[in-house]
Amino acid sequence: MIAWHDIEGPSIDIRIEPLDSGQRADICLAPSEARALARQLSEIADTAQRAGWTPAVLAEARERYLPGLSDEQIIERLDALTARLGGLVLGHRGRIDWRAGRMLIAETGNELLDRAAAAVDTAEHHLSDYRQAVEQLGTVKARLDDVRRFFEQESERGT
């Protein structure tokens, strides 16, 4: 691949020559054409990657890394992980790479911890409300006891 500037403007020359094929293609692109081609190749890569999420891969993901998730949820997770890792999710024989699997497990664990922390925060908030109510009720009870003693004293004075 060579990028250069000629009388027409900037150009990118690309030579594609698959090994041992005896075939060769020479392509010349303007930068705008190269960007459009890159977008198209990215879309093709996304489609090809999604085709890699076979029923066997989804079953493996569900069994080993993402129990209880639907196929669509697993695909969302695998797509996101693919985007983060640059496509390095499938490993030997089309199975989920062990590093990607560990990342899925860690993400699932972090989500569980986030939900647990949110539940603890909610419980703490509710319990603090109860603590305030108990304190206020304690204050009211003390005042009621004061009023009761007052009435008892007043009723004893009358006798």
Side-chain angles (χ1 to χ4, degrees):
M1 186 176 328
I2 300 171
W4 60 291
H5 194 283
D6 67 3
I7 58 170
E8 299 286 327
S11 295
I12 303 167
D13 289 342
I14 302 170
R15 174 171 283 167
I16 300 173
E17 194 170 350
L19 292 176
D20 301 328
S21 71
Q23 299 175 348
R24 183 178 93 189
D26 291 315
I27 303 168
C28 181
L29 301 169
S32 61
E33 294 169 322
R35 286 186 184 93
L37 178 60
R39 280 189 297 277
Q40 291 170 353
L41 287 172
S42 181
E43 290 171 8
I44 291 169
D46 290 345
T47 301
Q49 183 67 59
R50 248 178 125 67
W53 308 143
T54 64
V57 169
L58 297 177
E60 176 193 7
R62 184 177 296 105
E63 181 182 321
R64 296 185 68 195
Y65 309 114
L66 302 168
L69 296 186
S70 69
D71 283 355
E72 194 55 39
Q73 290 170 319
I74 292 171
I75 288 170
E76 286 176 19
R77 295 286 185 95
L78 292 173
D79 284 345
L81 189 57
T82 298
R84 268 196 11 239
L85 297 178
L88 303 173
V89 173
L90 294 179
H92 184 65
R93 296 182 188 229
R95 299 187 66 168
I96 295 175
D97 180 75
W98 68 271
R99 288 174 216 85
R102 287 183 59 146
M103 292 176 81
L104 289 171
I105 290 170
E107 288 174 0
T108 302
N110 279 334
E111 288 173 3
L112 175 63
L113 291 174
D114 289 345
R115 286 194 306 270
V120 168
D121 287 345
T122 300
E124 181 182 39
H125 177 72
H126 288 303
L127 290 175
S128 70
D129 290 345
Y130 288 126
R131 189 177 319 123
Q132 289 174 346
V134 167
E135 290 171 3
Q136 290 172 352
L137 288 171
T139 302
V140 168
K141 184 175 186 285
R143 298 286 183 249
L144 290 173
D145 288 342
D146 291 344
V147 170
R148 179 180 292 117
R149 279 192 296 278
F150 172 76
F151 286 139
E152 286 174 357
Q153 290 172 355
E154 288 300 312
S155 66
E156 288 175 4
R157 284 186 188 170
T159 56

